[in-house]
Amino acid sequence: MSDLVVGLDVGTNKICTIVGEVRPDDIFVVGAGIEPSRGMKKGIVNDIGQLTAAISASVHKAERSSGYDISRAFVSVAGNHIASISSRGMVGITGTRGVNRDDLDKAMDAARAIAIPHNREVLHVVPRSYSLDGQDRVRSPLGMHGFRLELEAHIITASSTCLANLEQAVEAAGVYVDRFILNPLASGHVVLTPEEREMGVVVVDIGGGTTDLAIFIEGTVWHAAVIPVGGDHVTNDITHWMRVPFEQAEIVKIQHGHAQRKAVNMMETFLVQPFGEGMPTEVQRSGLAEIIEMRVIEIFELVQREIKRSGYDGLLRAGMVLTGGSSQLPGIREVAEQTLDMPVRVAKPERLTGLADALRSPAYSTSVGLLGLGLEMDTVHPEQPNGHSAFSGAKIGNLLGGFLKRLLPDAGVD
Ligand SMILES: Nc1ncnc2c1ncn2[C@@H]1O[C@H](COP(=O)(O)OP(=O)(O)OP(=O)(O)O)[C@@H](O)[C@H]1O
Ligand SMILES: [Mg+2]
């Protein structure tokens, strides 16, 4: 049982806590707790008390369903305070020995030591490629000979205040933050194939309050960003157009929504009860689709702008992988394909076993990805020949000692 880890996805729409075991071929879900979110707006905390209560409820549900006492977790981060930059680190290699892990760590520290404003902190340092005595694009220099090792790394930073507020909310719920993980990196970890990551791909997770994206090229992360627009904006547009409360607009969107007006029959209608006591009104489904399509196109134009800004727009040979709750909107794949002119597929977490039924949806890509990526970032994989994690800050050893403790027999199990 020493391989159990906990992911805590603090979304704008839902909080999801998963207790699971990451195995070579699947993730075995031991328990999960899903709770509607409160106190989050566009990926940022706006009411700590409310958020703490929602996190506590989610964690307690996961404790009851798993039978474990949860004391720490890998926690998701989003919000438009995220920034992404490249950096280089250089170290000299003394003597004629080959490059060792110590040298890699020093190169990583040198890359990390860039000047960032005092109100920001480094969330991730992802090694991109090494060069050894001027020989570029060395993937793993361990054991190779040379005098000057240079690392090109990708650095993701976040606002210290936003992280502190999130940490306070999680810790007030009795859970220690083992590590913060950027949403799209977690989603990418679970939905992308190694071939896609190698060829060049953008993963786009459209949730309720945010659209999170990450670009993977040559097997690793080259760019990441969070756009503060998501499915809630679609619902808001429906609220104004139909003059119904948000909750009702949400139901209408899920029952009748379509992201592509031309795919909807012009004659198709449905009934809606407006504000007040009036008679139900008949609504054209193609009209609803037109409203949704406009907002969805806007979201993909923002995604396109971010991809262009990164400078990697010509390198995405595997196109786009779409996930997140809003990727379930019918027609959204086609709209993405037309707007960005690239191949698009919609993905959800696969290879889940155990108590996983509720999690087999694109809405849970980040939640599930936290387990696998969190573990990868904090341990050295014995199956990797060089034993080097794809992410920095790798704590060598077993972070799981004392991580979770079994509750007394029967205690807390539903
Ligand atoms: N079947 C569906 N069809 C269309 N939209 C859906 C469907 N199911 C969920 N959604 C939308 O997905 C969004 C929630 O997605 P998700 O659960 O990924 O968000 P979140 O992770 O809580 O939020 P965020 O990541 O933005 O902080 C909501 O806007 C919801 O309306
Ligand atoms: Mg999310």
Side-chain angles (χ1 to χ4, degrees):
M1 276 303 172
S2 62
D3 283 343
L4 282 181
V5 280
V6 181
L8 172 56
D9 180 8
V10 184
T12 308
N13 278 60
K14 48 103 193 4
I15 314 277
C16 176
T17 309
I18 303 180
V19 182
E21 187 183 351
V22 181
R23 309 193 292 204
D25 295 320
D26 62 5
I27 291 182
F28 180 78
V29 178
V30 179
I34 300 163
E35 177 74 12
S37 185
R38 301 185 291 278
M40 288 288 281
K41 196 154 198 255
K42 298 182 184 180
I44 294 175
V45 182
N46 75 347
D47 185 330
I48 287 197
Q50 292 252 14
L51 180 60
T52 297
I55 292 172
S56 292
S58 163
V59 167
H60 286 145
K61 280 184 183 170
E63 287 183 330
R64 281 200 302 277
S65 84
S66 67
Y68 282 88
D69 184 11
I70 296 170
S71 56
R72 44 206 302 160
F74 298 121
V75 179
S76 68
V77 181
N80 67 345
H81 57 97
I82 298 299
S84 182
I85 38 171
S86 288
S87 172
R88 291 182 84 84
M90 201 274 289
V91 283
I93 315 289
T94 47
T96 52
R97 63 175 175 81
V99 173
N100 62 25
R101 202 176 324 279
D102 212 29
D103 300 320
L104 297 188
D105 288 345
K106 281 186 188 144
M108 192 80 87
D109 288 343
R112 177 187 275 264
I114 48 162
I116 57 167
H118 73 280
N119 56 352
R120 299 193 66 78
E121 52 195 89
V122 173
L123 202 55
H124 300 293
V125 183
V126 191
R128 236 161 79 169
S129 71
Y130 295 90
S131 81
L132 200 54
D133 289 355
Q135 182 197 334
D136 281 340
R137 294 179 173 260
V138 175
R139 271 222 180 163
S140 175
L142 268 185
M144 291 173 70
H145 291 270
F147 295 103
R148 182 188 158 95
L149 174 69
E150 274 182 272
L151 162 68
E152 184 162 345
H154 181 67
I155 298 194
I156 297 169
T157 66
S159 145
S160 310
T161 319
C162 291
L163 288 186
N165 287 335
L166 185 55
E167 185 166 19
Q168 193 182 329
V170 174
E171 298 202 349
V175 178
Y176 170 77
V177 179
D178 240 315
R179 180 186 281 278
F180 281 121
I181 296 178
L182 185 66
N183 276 10
L185 303 196
S187 303
H189 190 266
V190 75
V191 300
L192 298 179
T193 65
E195 293 75 24
E196 285 170 335
R197 265 179 253 203
E198 201 58 41
M199 283 172 68
V201 69
V202 57
V203 59
V204 178
D205 182 317
I206 312 185
T210 65
T211 293
D212 316 319
L213 67 97
I215 292 175
F216 290 75
I217 300 170
E218 292 180 3
T220 184
V221 183
W222 283 32
H223 184 74
V226 176
I227 300 167
V229 185
D232 286 349
H233 295 75
V234 176
T235 308
N236 257 328
D237 293 346
I238 299 172
T239 302
H240 292 132
W241 182 66
M242 287 178 43
R243 300 199 193 144
V244 292
F246 187 89
E247 291 67 29
Q248 200 179 345
E250 181 74 13
I251 294 168
V252 164
K253 178 177 86 173
I254 288 171
Q255 284 183 351
H256 307 286
H258 202 291
Q260 220 187 2
R261 191 197 53 76
K262 70 170 191 227
V264 175
N265 185 337
M266 294 292 280
M267 306 305 288
E268 210 179 319
T269 59
F270 59 95
L271 289 177
V272 170
Q273 179 70 47
F275 273 125
E277 308 245 310
M279 293 287 287
T281 49
E282 198 173 12
V283 178
Q284 264 197 332
R285 193 169 171 229
S286 64
L288 174 69
E290 191 173 349
I291 295 294
I292 296 176
E293 183 171 19
M294 280 193 290
R295 182 62 86 164
V296 168
I297 288 176
E298 188 208 348
I299 292 175
F300 287 124
E301 283 173 351
L302 292 170
V303 167
Q304 187 172 39
R305 192 186 304 170
E306 189 59 41
I307 294 173
K308 285 221 162 80
R309 211 173 62 84
S310 76
Y312 305 131
D313 44 323
L315 302 179
L316 306 178
R317 286 188 296 140
M320 175 190 291
V321 175
L322 200 54
T323 194
S326 298
S327 70
Q328 297 169 95
L329 207 49
I332 196 165
R333 192 188 67 78
E334 289 77 5
V335 175
E337 251 173 13
Q338 281 162 18
T339 312
L340 285 108
D341 193 22
M342 58 167 68
V344 179
R345 72 175 179 95
V346 176
K348 60 179 192 288
E350 307 284 352
R351 296 187 299 149
L352 289 179
T353 51
L355 285 176
D357 284 351
L359 305 174
R360 288 194 191 92
S361 146
Y364 298 102
S365 298
T366 299
S367 320
V368 173
L370 289 172
L371 303 185
L373 184 55
L375 196 60
E376 183 179 311
M377 287 160 90
D378 272 32
T379 54
V380 171
H381 283 227
E383 64 269 23
Q384 278 183 277
N386 60 14
H388 193 65
S389 166
F391 289 82
S392 84
K395 263 193 281 172
I396 297 174
N398 186 353
L399 83 160
L400 301 163
F403 191 127
L404 296 157
K405 66 180 192 295
R406 254 290 185 209
L407 293 172
L408 292 170
D410 300 334
V413 180
D414 276 342

